[in-house]
Amino acid sequence: MRFRFLAAFLAVCLVAMGQTMSVDKLMLFLRNAYSDRDRQYTDRQIAAFLAKVKLSDKLEDRTIEDLQSQFRIGPLTMAKLQALRDQSHALTEAKITREEKPKPIPPPSAEEQAAALDEVREYALSYSKNLPDFICTEVTRRYGALPPGTRGWGAPGDPPRWQSIDTVTKRLSYFDQKEEYKTILHNNTPMGDNTKSVGGSESFGDFGSMLRQIFEKATEARFEWDHWGTLRGQRMMEFAFHVRQERSQYSIVVDGNNRIIAAYHGTVAVDPTTHAVMRLIVEAENIPTGFPVKSTQDVLDYDYQDISGQTFLLPLKATMTANLGDFWSKNDKEFRIYRKYSADAVIKYDTNVDTPAPLDESKTKETAPPPPAKKK
């Protein structure tokens, strides 16, 4: 639909301008075509439009280079742009309207960063103590992939092509600062009182332990400013951190008994007003060469949840990925349908449960930061 709109836009321009268009409008068309997220237009489609274009002013090499720096231009489109450059070499120099990029927001001062981290540490260390008693639905969708570039699974360096393995739905009870899990469904099969493990990889620490480990003074994590980010439409302070192996509690376990403690690094996204942690990213580093796991990453998102009329900041989604050399795995774990804990609530839960649909990706996707407010 968007491409047909762009095609109509170009056709109107051609007719209105006597079968010609300016370099400025040509660049606008290309920016719109390459920036359309709803559809990826092919090199052949874009080149076909350029074949109909006649320019009213001069297309220069520096303009083509500017487009190349912004977009991945295909060979057919590049050939048409070069042809337009040659055809327009005798025309007057183009007047190009260039987009003015907003100036980046300056980072907080060193004093402001230190004060914010002190409050984040206090928040992290007391997080579990301030949680209410609750139950929720934990849905883990597990995926696997061959390494990119293996047997037709993309090119080396491409993102993994994840294939669904299974879905595990659990009841998670949090009572007196202790977590208890009961598997309710494996795919669409009720588990009943069957306590047999469904296997596969697992991750832990979603309800405060990882936060506490990072911010405990004994961990001696090194923090530094990283960038301003935006999560769910809200600006975030993003700090990078690093924990040495000798101070780490980051455990990677394979087959129950093959275990290492790894150094790790990552980022923490902090609400600049409340100094609450909204996202935590942790990546292991310096994993021994002979260990079965080659790399790991854990991403934990928090969001505000209503429980019996009160609002609490609780886990929203945790994603764990692991590179096992000849196989990659990913667990997408979502925490849904929070409610107040009680014996009656547990009984009702166990007799009436459905697996919720996956979260909208926009809930956990970081976006570009908004421009700074203009001074009046």
Side-chain angles (χ1 to χ4, degrees), residues 81-109:
L81 287 172
Q82 291 169 341
L84 287 170
R85 174 202 61 194
D86 296 341
Q87 294 166 13
S88 65
H89 75 278
L91 299 176
T92 57
E93 185 175 341
K95 295 181 180 180
I96 299 173
T97 303
R98 301 192 181 275
E99 295 181 357
E100 184 178 348
K101 296 182 179 179
K103 294 181 179 179
I105 305 170
S109 67

Side-chain angles (χ1 to χ4, degrees), residues 11-153:
V12 169
C13 288
L14 292 174
V15 172
M17 304 185 69
Q19 302 301 314
T20 64
M21 70 186 310
S22 68
V23 170
D24 199 27
K25 282 191 167 52
L26 172 66
M27 291 185 69
L28 175 61
F29 170 76
L30 290 171
R31 287 196 187 100
N32 286 335
Y34 282 113
S35 301
D36 189 348
R37 296 180 180 179
D38 296 330
R39 176 175 173 180
Q40 297 294 316
Y41 305 114
T42 67
D43 183 29
R44 187 176 298 277
Q45 285 174 317
I46 296 175
F49 279 106
L50 296 186
K52 304 173 185 178
V53 171
K54 183 177 180 182
L55 294 175
S56 60
D57 45 18
K58 185 177 180 179
L59 177 61
E60 300 181 84
D61 282 327
R62 62 182 179 179
T63 304
I64 297 176
E65 291 169 1
D66 184 34
L67 288 168
Q68 280 184 296
S69 69
Q70 299 178 57
F71 310 109
R72 189 176 295 178
I73 297 176
L76 296 177
T77 300
M78 179 56 64
K80 293 300 180 185
L81 287 172
Q82 291 169 341
L84 287 170
R85 174 202 61 194
D86 296 341
Q87 294 166 13
S88 65
H89 75 278
L91 299 176
T92 57
E93 185 175 341
K95 295 181 180 180
I96 299 173
T97 303
R98 301 192 181 275
E99 295 181 357
E100 184 178 348
K101 296 182 179 179
K103 294 181 179 179
I105 305 170
S109 67
E111 292 78 11
E112 290 171 325
Q113 293 178 35
L117 285 171
D118 283 343
E119 291 195 25
V120 175
R121 176 173 286 105
E122 183 179 348
Y123 165 86
L125 295 179
S126 60
Y127 176 77
S128 296
K129 298 176 183 177
N130 294 327
L131 290 180
D133 295 334
F134 63 83
I135 61 173
C136 73
T137 300
E138 179 193 283
V139 183
T140 303
R141 294 178 173 88
R142 303 193 290 195
Y143 303 88
L146 292 179
T150 303
R151 285 178 280 173
W153 284 59

Side-chain angles (χ1 to χ4, degrees), residues 74-295:
L76 296 177
T77 300
M78 179 56 64
K80 293 300 180 185
L81 287 172
Q82 291 169 341
L84 287 170
R85 174 202 61 194
D86 296 341
Q87 294 166 13
S88 65
H89 75 278
L91 299 176
T92 57
E93 185 175 341
K95 295 181 180 180
I96 299 173
T97 303
R98 301 192 181 275
E99 295 181 357
E100 184 178 348
K101 296 182 179 179
K103 294 181 179 179
I105 305 170
S109 67
E111 292 78 11
E112 290 171 325
Q113 293 178 35
L117 285 171
D118 283 343
E119 291 195 25
V120 175
R121 176 173 286 105
E122 183 179 348
Y123 165 86
L125 295 179
S126 60
Y127 176 77
S128 296
K129 298 176 183 177
N130 294 327
L131 290 180
D133 295 334
F134 63 83
I135 61 173
C136 73
T137 300
E138 179 193 283
V139 183
T140 303
R141 294 178 173 88
R142 303 193 290 195
Y143 303 88
L146 292 179
T150 303
R151 285 178 280 173
W153 284 59
D158 284 354
R161 296 183 178 181
W162 299 111
Q163 303 293 314
S164 177
I165 295 175
D166 64 1
T167 301
V168 181
T169 304
K170 296 181 180 181
R171 182 198 72 208
L172 191 162
S173 304
Y174 189 86
F175 182 73
D176 283 345
Q177 300 181 37
K178 295 180 181 179
E179 301 168 32
E180 180 182 290
Y181 297 85
K182 180 182 178 182
T183 302
I184 304 298
L185 297 172
H186 184 207
N187 295 324
N188 294 318
T189 303
M191 297 297 288
D193 293 327
N194 184 2
T195 58
K196 183 180 177 181
S197 170
V198 295
S201 57
E202 287 285 355
S203 61
F204 304 95
D206 306 320
F207 284 87
S209 59
M210 179 60 74
L211 263 181
R212 185 174 62 255
Q213 289 171 18
I214 292 171
F215 283 94
E216 283 175 340
K217 289 190 176 181
T219 302
E220 296 182 358
R222 186 180 73 246
F223 291 90
E224 60 182 20
W225 175 257
D226 197 74
H227 68 282
W228 286 107
T230 304
L231 191 60
R232 291 184 285 281
Q234 300 297 316
R235 182 175 288 129
M236 296 289 150
M237 304 171 74
E238 302 261 2
F239 292 94
F241 63 85
H242 179 266
V243 175
R244 294 172 294 156
Q245 191 273 339
E246 58 267 29
R247 293 291 179 177
S248 172
Q249 299 178 61
Y250 189 96
S251 177
I252 305 175
V253 183
V254 180
D255 296 330
N257 54 12
N258 195 356
R259 170 188 176 122
I260 64 168
I261 302 295
Y264 60 94
H265 65 271
T267 57
V268 57
V270 176
D271 186 312
T273 303
T274 65
H275 295 148
V277 174
M278 303 301 293
R279 166 177 282 172
L280 186 63
I281 300 177
V282 177
E283 296 185 28
E285 62 180 47
N286 299 328
I287 296 175
T289 303
F291 194 69
V293 177
K294 310 305 177 185
S295 66

